[in-house]
C-alpha cells in the first residue's frame, strides 16, 4: 500500500511538472479586431513574424502560432474551443467579454503613437448639434460589439438610443454615404479622425459627440497569470526600443506597446448585460 502511495505521489508530481511546462511553453495568441480589413490568410505573414519574434525573445522551445480574426463570432467561437495564452483585442471585445474569458490586461497598443483613444460621432454639417436628436443608421468598425460600444460612447444600451448601430469594415467609405445623406452618422476612432481631417470630405461633416479618453486595444492574458505573463509583457513593451522590431511594429500598425491601461479594470460588462455598468 505504501509502495502504491509513493507511485501515485510520483506520478502526480510528474503530471504537475508536465502541465506546468506546457502552460509556460504555450504562447499561442489571437489578434481580435472586428471590422478591420483583410483575411486571416492575408494577415498570416504578420502573425508569423510576430510569432517568430516572441519565440526568439522568450527563448521558447515550442513554436508559437498567431490567429487573426476580424469577424466577431468566429473569434468568440475560437476562444471557447481553443483559448490561446494571450491576445490583442479590440476595446469593445474586452469590455464585453473580459469577464467571460478571464482577460487580464498586461500591455497596451499605441496606434498612431497615441496612448489613449477618442471616439467621435460624425454627422452632416446641417445636422442638429445634439446627438440625441439624430435618428437613422450609425456606422463604425467598432460597432460590431454594440453593447460595449454604446456604453463607452453614449452611456446607454443600444435599444435606448434614438438610432441604430451598424458595424462596417469601411468606416472611411461610409463617410461618403454620410455626406450624401444615405446614413445618419459615422463613428471614427482617433487615428481615423486624424486622417479625415486632411481629406476634402472633412468639410462636409462635423463632430456631434465625443467620447472621453478611452483605452486603446489592450494586450490581454487569458486565464491564470503565470511566470510567462510578466516576461511576455516586458518583451512587448521593449519592442519600441528594439531596432529589429521596427518593421514588425509598422506591420502591426502600432508605435510599440505600453503598460496596461489602469482604466480597463473598471470597463467590464456582463456577458448578457441589459444595462451599462460604467463608473
Amino acid at each position: 500500500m505504501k509502495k502504491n502511495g509513493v507511485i501515485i505521489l510520483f506520478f502526480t508530481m510528474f503530471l504537475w511538472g508536465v502541465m506546468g511546462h506546457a502552460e509556460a511553453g504555450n504562447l499561442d495568441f489571437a489578434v481580435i479586431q472586428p471590422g478591420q480589413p483583410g483575411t486571416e490568410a492575408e494577415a498570416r505573414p504578420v502573425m508569423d513574424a510576430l510569432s517568430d519574434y516572441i519565440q526568439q525573445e522568450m527563448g521558447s522551445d515550442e513554436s508559437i502560432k498567431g490567429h487573426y480574426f476580424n469577424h466577431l463570432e468566429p473569434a468568440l467561437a475560437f476562444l471557447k474551443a481553443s483559448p490561446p495564452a494571450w491576445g490583442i483585442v479590440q476595446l469593445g471585445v474586452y469590455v464585453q467579454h473580459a469577464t467571460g474569458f478571464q482577460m487580464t490586461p498586461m500591455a497596451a497598443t499605441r496606434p498612431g503613437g497615441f496612448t489613449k483613444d477618442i471616439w467621435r460621432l460624425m454627422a452632416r454639417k446641417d445636422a442638429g448639434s445634439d446627438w440625441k436628436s439624430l435618428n437613422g443608421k450609425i456606422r463604425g468598425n467598432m460597432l460590431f460589439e454594440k453593447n460595449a460600444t454604446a456604453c463607452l460612447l453614449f452611456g446607454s444600451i443600444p435599444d435606448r438610443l434614438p438610432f441604430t448601430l451598424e458595424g462596417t469594415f469601411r468606416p472611411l467609405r461610409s463617410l461618403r454615404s454620410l455626406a450624401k445623406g444615405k446614413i445618419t452618422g459615422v463613428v471614427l476612432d482617433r487615428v481615423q479622425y486624424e486622417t479625415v481631417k486632411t481629406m476634402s470630405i472633412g468639410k462636409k461633416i462635423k463632430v456631434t459627440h465625443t467620447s472621453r479618453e478611452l483605452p486603446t486595444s489592450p494586450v490581454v492574458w487569458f486565464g491564470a497569470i503565470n511566470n510567462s505573463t510578466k516576461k511576455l509583457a516586458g518583451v512587448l513593451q521593449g519592442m519600441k526600443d528594439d531596432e529589429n522590431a521596427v518593421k514588425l511594429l509598422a506591420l502591426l500598425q502600432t508605435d510599440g506597446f505600453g503598460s496596461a491601461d489602469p482604466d480597463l479594470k473598471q470597463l467590464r460588462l456582463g456577458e448578457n448585460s441589459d444595462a451599462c455598468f460604467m463608473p
Side-chain angles (χ1 to χ4, degrees):
M1 184 72 177
K2 183 176 180 180
K3 181 178 180 181
N4 289 341
V6 172
I7 293 174
I8 292 172
L9 177 60
F10 174 80
F11 179 77
T12 302
M13 292 176 66
F14 173 77
L15 181 62
W16 275 108
V18 171
M19 291 174 65
H21 176 74
E23 179 184 29
N26 178 18
L27 290 172
D28 288 357
F29 63 92
V31 175
I32 302 175
Q33 298 286 326
Q36 292 298 315
T39 64
E40 181 165 8
E42 292 170 338
R44 174 52 47 202
V46 182
M47 298 297 99
D48 290 345
L50 180 57
S51 298
D52 292 343
Y53 183 86
I54 296 298
Q55 183 176 4
Q56 180 178 343
E57 294 298 312
M58 292 288 288
S60 174
D61 294 330
E62 298 184 22
S63 61
I64 299 170
K65 185 172 183 178
H67 304 267
Y68 173 77
F69 297 93
N70 60 354
H71 288 80
L72 182 60
E73 293 307 319
L76 298 180
F78 175 78
L79 294 183
K80 291 177 182 178
S82 308
W86 62 283
I88 303 173
V89 301
Q90 195 178 65
L91 178 60
V93 175
Y94 171 85
V95 171
Q96 186 67 49
H97 301 287
T99 300
F101 290 106
Q102 294 181 276
M103 299 183 194
T104 301
M106 63 172 179
T109 57
R110 293 164 50 91
F114 297 116
T115 58
K116 285 285 190 179
D117 202 357
I118 297 175
W119 294 349
R120 294 174 173 87
L121 174 60
M122 313 299 296
R124 284 168 54 96
K125 284 283 189 179
D126 57 1
S129 58
D130 184 359
W131 66 268
K132 295 179 182 178
S133 67
L134 300 177
N135 57 70
K137 186 180 297 182
I138 306 292
R139 290 179 180 167
N141 69 329
M142 70 287 288
L143 299 181
F144 288 96
E145 191 54 86
K146 294 180 177 61
N147 281 0
T149 305
C151 285
L152 288 167
L153 184 53
F154 303 111
S156 177
I157 61 173
D159 291 346
R160 296 175 186 169
L161 295 174
F163 38 71
T164 59
L165 304 178
E166 182 180 282
T168 178
F169 285 85
R170 300 177 177 88
L172 298 182
R173 182 180 296 182
S174 295
L175 292 174
R176 289 195 284 271
S177 296
L178 171 60
K180 295 176 181 178
K182 295 182 178 180
I183 61 175
T184 301
V186 177
V187 180
L188 303 177
D189 62 25
R190 192 168 190 168
V191 173
Q192 291 165 351
Y193 177 71
E194 293 298 322
T195 300
V196 168
K197 286 197 304 183
T198 66
M199 299 168 60
S200 60
I201 199 169
K203 300 177 182 179
K204 301 178 182 179
I205 57 178
K206 67 179 181 179
V207 177
T208 59
H209 181 64
T210 303
S211 73
R212 59 183 171 129
E213 286 194 327
L214 299 171
T216 56
S217 294
V219 183
V220 300
W221 187 269
F222 294 96
I225 298 295
N226 61 38
N227 292 333
S228 296
T229 313
K230 185 178 293 186
K231 184 177 180 181
L232 175 60
V235 168
L236 293 172
Q237 293 176 41
M239 289 178 71
K240 60 181 178 293
D241 300 317
D242 183 358
E243 293 182 357
N244 295 322
V246 173
K247 291 183 179 179
L248 176 56
L249 289 174
L251 292 173
L252 292 169
Q253 298 181 359
T254 182
D255 180 26
F257 295 88
S259 301
D261 194 316
D263 289 346
L264 290 168
K265 296 179 180 179
Q266 301 174 348
L267 301 181
R268 290 173 179 246
L269 300 178
E271 288 294 293
N272 299 301
S273 299
D274 60 357
C276 286
F277 297 102
M278 308 297 291

